[in-house]
Amino acid sequence: MVFRLVLGCGTTGHAVVDELGGQSGDLLVLDSDASRVESLRNEKVPAETADITDPVSIDRETDPDIVFVGADDPETNLAAVRAVTTTYPDAYIVAFSGFGATRSTQQVLDASADRVVNAGAAVVDDVAETAARGDSGRVHDLRGTLQDVDGRLAVFMHDNPDPDAIAAAVALTRIAEGVGTPADACYFGEISHQENRAFVNLLELDLVNLDPDANLDDYAGIALVDHSRPGVNDQLPPDTDVNVVIDHHPSEGEIDADFVDVRPEMGATSTILVEYLSQLGVDLDTSVATGLLYGIRVDTKDFSREITTADFEAAAELLAYADVDVLERVESPNMSADTFDVIARGIGNRQLNGSVLASCVGALNDRDTLAQAADRLLAMEGVTVTFVYGFMDGTVYASARARGADVDLGSALREAFDALGSAGGHADMAGAQIPMGVFDVLDGDAADELQAVLEDAIADRFFAAVR
């Protein structure tokens, strides 16, 4: 629960307290004027008398998440901000500049507080909105974590990244650079989907493609976006120390990182990054805005899947900066012969169990064709769940889709395949990777024999998990 501490309850401070009274979480007001404190108590507002400029006087047993400094006098606010930074170094500080602040006082406030709001017609609404937001503490923590990286940061997408992962990684590099930490958007594997390649090329996104045995000594920090564990859907060592994780996929178990922001309720990781860009005041250029908008559109299936108000709001904010013409070009690439071939094999090899379809398409040249096949097969009459899988480079890859079905695909795939490899995703879109060694396929069996083994082992597990 968010704990908000208000120091100083002048004209603006009192108006802000009135707004905060209806917010969830704990609130405490400290003010040096005893009569003002008594008045607040009569209004059922928790308040105590204290010298807000004295670090000892404002020290309380519980550390606040957000501190709003709201006296009318600029010098009092400046002294209070200094007291807060001494007493509560991890708190997010929102400071009102006061009335008649000099330029030097304003400059010191700007350098000391996380956000400073100047006097003006909209000050009460602006400050109240900022002070009420429980996510302000996250912004403070993210900035601090990024600034603590003593060198270059590597922001890793998952392997074969999709637009949401790519856009989120690029956005996080911009945020890191905005707080003084150089960063690269990195990935292992390849970007094989023709739409995703067009997306990267048309927006001229600067990505770093690493070999599996790449030396990471040049990087002082690691961040993960659109996934939450090193070594799971990326080729980092599983014991890699991680500084930042930002994701919208549900995670099994505790995530080990200095800063973690995982919100499964969001439709896209890009939505979370838009929030941070906005709150940290990072300028949006056309390529980043277009990338984030496309990431949200793809992961929400054009706002029809697992969509929230935050996703709509983020998209609306991005639309003013995005290049819609580029998006149209990205969404209309040619389909490769490999993709047509995999879709054809998916139709021909389909197994049906009620409205659930599973299909082994055999050897793959491009693992991303599985997702396209799973999407296309979902259009078949009477089918509500599709599961398409194939093998390449010693690994079985699978992609699943659901439409109007009472099944959580992410949970189903984890139940079926987590013990054999890695699996997860959302209720209506999920995937899995399984090392082929678990099937004891030896001595280079022919492709058709291997396919028969996989059909027995994989499809049965999937059907059982869905049931």
Side-chain angles (χ1 to χ4, degrees):
M1 183 174 291
V2 177
F3 172 32
R4 302 179 183 91
L5 179 64
V6 175
L7 302 183
C9 199
T11 306
T12 300
H14 197 288
V16 171
V17 168
D18 288 342
E19 292 292 330
L20 293 179
Q23 301 289 334
S24 61
D26 295 326
L27 171 67
L28 175 63
V29 180
L30 302 182
D31 195 284
S32 59
D33 188 327
S35 62
R36 188 176 293 158
V37 168
E38 185 64 27
S39 176
L40 287 168
R41 289 175 175 171
N42 291 335
E43 297 172 19
K44 308 299 182 184
V45 176
E48 299 176 10
T49 303
D51 179 358
I52 65 172
T53 66
D54 178 13
V56 175
S57 183
I58 66 172
D59 193 5
R60 293 298 181 272
E61 183 176 348
T62 302
D63 289 357
D65 301 290
I66 303 171
V67 179
F68 168 59
V69 179
D72 289 341
D73 177 55
E75 296 303 323
T76 300
N77 286 342
L78 179 56
V81 168
R82 287 170 172 159
V84 174
T85 57
T86 299
T87 309
Y88 304 116
D90 295 328
Y92 186 90
I93 306 173
V94 182
F96 173 46
S97 64
F99 297 105
T102 65
R103 177 173 296 182
S104 61
T105 298
Q106 182 71 46
Q107 288 174 341
V108 177
L109 277 172
D110 289 339
S112 303
D114 292 288
R115 180 169 179 186
V116 178
V117 184
N118 299 318
V123 67
V124 172
D125 291 341
D126 195 3
V127 176
E129 179 183 356
T130 303
R133 295 184 68 154
D135 54 9
S136 296
R138 279 197 294 251
V139 176
H140 174 80
D141 291 343
L142 174 61
R143 177 169 55 188
T145 302
L146 293 173
Q147 289 176 331
D148 286 343
V149 176
D150 187 18
R152 198 166 194 85
L153 176 73
V155 181
F156 278 93
M157 312 158 231
H158 48 72
D159 287 358
N160 195 25
D162 60 8
D164 186 34
I166 295 168
V170 172
L172 186 55
T173 64
R174 300 296 176 88
I175 289 171
E177 290 163 355
V179 300
T181 301
D184 292 328
C186 305
Y187 69 99
F188 294 105
E190 62 177 334
I191 300 175
S192 54
H193 193 303
Q194 58 268 21
E195 284 187 16
N196 298 348
R197 289 196 299 269
F199 168 70
V200 172
N201 293 334
L202 289 171
L203 293 179
E204 299 181 349
L205 300 176
D206 189 12
L207 310 181
V208 177
N209 185 204
L210 294 172
D211 294 326
D213 57 352
N215 187 341
L216 301 180
D217 290 345
D218 290 340
Y219 293 106
I222 300 291
L224 306 180
V225 294
D226 209 36
H227 69 302
S228 57
R229 296 180 185 278
V232 178
N233 207 15
D234 67 31
Q235 296 176 54
L236 290 168
D239 59 352
T240 299
D241 291 330
V242 177
N243 301 79
V244 174
V245 169
I246 301 177
D247 190 15
H248 77 123
H249 298 94
S251 177
E252 294 292 318
E254 187 175 352
I255 299 169
D256 186 13
D258 298 332
F259 174 87
V260 176
D261 186 359
V262 176
R263 301 188 225 174
E265 71 275 12
M266 294 295 192
T269 301
S270 292
T271 298
I272 303 173
L273 268 298
V274 173
E275 175 185 296
Y276 285 124
L277 287 164
S278 176
Q279 293 191 17
L280 287 167
V282 179
D283 290 335
L284 273 172
D285 62 34
T286 300
S287 64
V288 175
T290 306
L292 289 167
L293 179 58
Y294 188 54
I296 295 171
R297 286 179 54 181
V298 169
D299 256 39
T300 62
K301 204 172 182 179
D302 268 334
F303 306 102
S304 66
R305 174 176 61 204
E306 297 184 3
I307 190 72
T308 68
T309 301
D311 298 304
F312 282 114
E313 291 175 344
E317 183 175 345
L318 294 167
L319 193 58
Y321 304 92
D323 189 331
V324 179
D325 291 337
V326 168
L327 285 184
E328 290 180 357
R329 293 167 64 191
V330 168
E331 292 172 331
S332 304
N334 295 324
M335 184 176 289
S336 69
D338 273 343
T339 302
F340 279 114
D341 186 43
V342 168
I343 292 173
R345 279 185 276 154
I347 296 170
N349 298 338
R350 67 189 184 277
Q351 295 175 264
L352 284 171
N353 188 316
S355 64
V356 180
L357 179 152
S359 183
C360 181
V361 296
L364 298 168
N365 294 319
D366 176 0
R367 55 180 281 197
D368 202 63
T369 57
L370 293 172
Q372 297 176 74
D375 280 327
R376 293 302 178 98
L377 292 176
L378 195 59
M380 293 182 67
E381 184 177 358
V383 172
T384 59
V385 176
T386 60
F387 177 75
V388 182
Y389 57 103
F391 53 88
M392 64 181 291
D393 300 331
T395 302
V396 176
Y397 296 99
S399 185
R401 297 291 186 269
R403 170 176 47 80
D406 186 19
V407 59
D408 184 332
L409 283 180
S411 296
L413 263 63
R414 283 192 292 270
E415 179 180 336
F417 305 117
D418 251 0
L420 305 179
S422 61
H426 298 284
D428 59 355
M429 179 177 64
Q433 299 181 32
I434 308 152
M436 299 235 309
V438 300
F439 299 107
D440 295 323
V441 178
L442 305 174
D443 300 326
D445 287 351
D448 56 346
E449 295 174 352
L450 178 55
Q451 182 165 333
V453 171
L454 292 179
E455 287 176 347
D456 289 340
I458 299 290
D460 288 349
R461 277 180 173 268
F462 175 70
F463 285 135
V466 170
R467 284 196 299 270

